[in-house]
Amino acid sequence: MSSLGLAMPVGDENKDKPTDQIEVSSPPRLAQRSRVWRFGFALVLLSAALVLLGVGVGSTGWESVATMWEQTLAMQIVWDIRLPRTLGAWLAGSLLGLSGAVAQGLFRNPLADPYLLGSASGASLGVSTALTLFGVSPFATAWLVRLGLTGAAFIGAVSAVLLTLLLARGVQHTLRLLLAGVIVGVVLGAVGSLVTMLRPDIVQAMQAFMLGSTGFIGWSACAVMVSVLVMCVLASVALSHALDGLSLGEATAASLGLPLPQMRAALVVVIALSAGTAVAQAGLIVFVGLAAPHLVRSVVKTTHASLIVLASLMGAVLLTAADILSRWLIAPQELPVGVLTAILGGGYLLRLMHSQRRYENGGGL
């Protein structure tokens, strides 16, 4: 008898079974659900603390909110600049975390990120095209002013996803969809680089977009992101049982009677809408959508319904913290928030890979 068999008490239901057939019971579902709720509550509290901290961080470093409350000009700065920027970072991170969790569940790949369907390259091409057309003609300038660079980025991101779906001939085959997204991303990225090379005067603006920034987010952008976030959370949670089924394999999910083509199409729309909205408002911010679901899984094991909500909260915490650091580290100057997310997210994933390699080697270095 193994040491595990000696340690586990044998109940009445197992007394007639051989030792090697005794089932070790999993943790009670109630305890697991309680742990999920506690973790979610902790993320909400951390989000609230970060929002308060972000309101007090400006070009001069940290300032007390109580002190600023007595100054009319300071409170106007908080209301018009710092608060919408901090909330915008929280919302953009939440959208990226949600889309990352959905993408990893849809493609059954822990390395999938929100930009896997070509939305990042499409958004950058849309921005470079819009910047190139400024000043070409009075009609084009007026149209682009009304549209805005955020609208151009969103249209570019959604158009890239539609091109991916066209190239993959729908959503029936996950592998074909994945390969089509990679191809579209490479091609549109090359076209965007060509446009930037032909117009050197837009290089600085494109660099700011590629590195990501929350400095231009206002209340209207926050309203747009809130609306999209609510829709995407409701849709993805409603479709989470499809992701649970896909985690067991395509054949098993089909045998459960799930309408996989329709559900895949809806999940692709969620990924495109959430990632496209975040990119349009904050630029290309990397690693948040990739790292947020990993961080959640390292703490709790749960179904995709809870994972999506927790990954959304985790992405919000990550981007809000990165935004605060980008303003505070070298104040009064500012670091691009995408640089910090790349460094922190990349470092975390490297540590994760190193830990996994040590585990596979039996704990050796």
Side-chain angles (χ1 to χ4, degrees):
M1 184 180 294
S2 65
S3 60
L4 177 61
L6 290 173
M8 292 297 298
V10 181
D12 293 337
E13 68 278 8
N14 291 324
K15 64 181 180 180
D16 296 328
K17 293 183 180 180
T19 305
D20 58 353
Q21 293 183 10
I22 295 176
E23 296 181 358
V24 179
S25 60
S26 60
R29 182 173 299 181
L30 185 60
Q32 183 179 3
R33 187 177 301 175
S34 176
R35 186 175 184 182
V36 169
W37 277 100
R38 289 198 304 268
F39 184 55
F41 185 66
L43 289 177
V44 171
L45 290 180
L46 185 56
S47 296
L50 287 173
V51 169
L52 290 176
L53 184 62
V55 168
V57 176
S59 59
T60 58
W62 164 254
E63 299 177 69
S64 172
V65 179
T67 302
M68 292 186 295
W69 186 263
E70 302 173 357
Q71 305 174 16
T72 304
L73 180 59
M75 287 308 301
Q76 185 176 358
I77 292 174
V78 167
W79 180 256
D80 294 336
I81 299 175
R82 294 185 189 175
L83 185 57
R85 173 177 182 165
T86 305
L87 291 177
W90 191 93
L91 291 167
S94 183
L95 288 168
L96 291 174
L98 181 147
S99 56
V102 174
Q104 291 177 13
L106 177 62
F107 294 109
R108 290 179 293 161
N109 188 338
L111 295 180
D113 72 348
Y115 306 142
L116 203 58
L117 297 178
S119 57
S121 299
S124 61
L125 178 59
V127 170
S128 62
T129 302
L131 290 172
T132 300
L133 292 178
F134 268 116
V136 172
S137 67
F139 175 77
T141 302
W143 180 77
L144 286 170
V145 167
R146 288 195 299 269
L147 177 64
L149 292 180
T150 57
F154 181 77
I155 291 174
V158 174
S159 299
V161 174
L162 293 177
L163 182 59
T164 298
L165 295 176
L166 181 63
L167 186 61
R169 300 175 186 175
V171 295
Q172 287 79 9
H173 302 285
T174 303
L175 181 59
R176 184 185 297 172
L177 186 64
L178 179 61
L179 293 175
V182 173
I183 293 171
V184 169
V186 171
V187 173
L188 294 186
V191 175
S193 299
L194 179 62
V195 172
T196 305
M197 184 183 68
L198 295 176
R199 288 293 302 270
D201 54 311
I202 69 171
V203 170
Q204 186 175 1
M206 281 302 301
Q207 185 179 19
F209 175 80
M210 297 295 291
L211 293 177
S213 176
T214 57
F216 304 102
I217 296 180
W219 286 115
S220 58
C222 289
V224 171
M225 287 191 285
V226 165
S227 302
V228 173
L229 179 61
V230 171
M231 290 188 296
C232 289
V233 168
L234 293 177
S236 56
V237 170
L239 296 167
S240 60
H241 59 287
L243 297 176
D244 293 333
L246 285 172
S247 65
L248 302 174
E250 296 269 351
T252 304
S255 67
L256 295 175
L258 297 174
L260 292 182
Q262 294 86 346
M263 288 184 167
R264 279 200 195 96
L267 290 169
V268 167
V269 171
V270 169
I271 295 172
L273 187 59
S274 55
T277 303
V279 169
Q281 304 298 336
L284 296 182
I285 296 176
V286 298
F287 280 114
V288 172
L290 179 60
H294 281 280
L295 288 170
V296 173
R297 292 192 197 97
S298 67
V299 178
V300 295
K301 306 296 181 184
T302 183
T303 60
H304 278 89
S306 299
L307 175 64
I308 288 169
V309 176
L310 293 177
S312 180
L313 290 172
M314 180 61 75
V317 167
L318 291 177
L319 188 53
T320 306
D323 178 61
I324 293 172
L325 287 175
S326 70
R327 286 183 273 164
W328 175 70
L329 286 177
I330 57 172
Q333 297 184 0
E334 187 175 312
L335 286 172
V337 67
V339 172
L340 282 178
T341 59
I343 294 173
L344 298 176
Y348 168 74
L349 292 178
L350 286 175
R351 177 181 174 276
L352 188 66
M353 291 174 61
H354 179 67
S355 300
Q356 182 68 20
R357 183 175 298 177
R358 291 185 59 186
Y359 175 79
E360 291 173 353
N361 293 335
L365 295 175

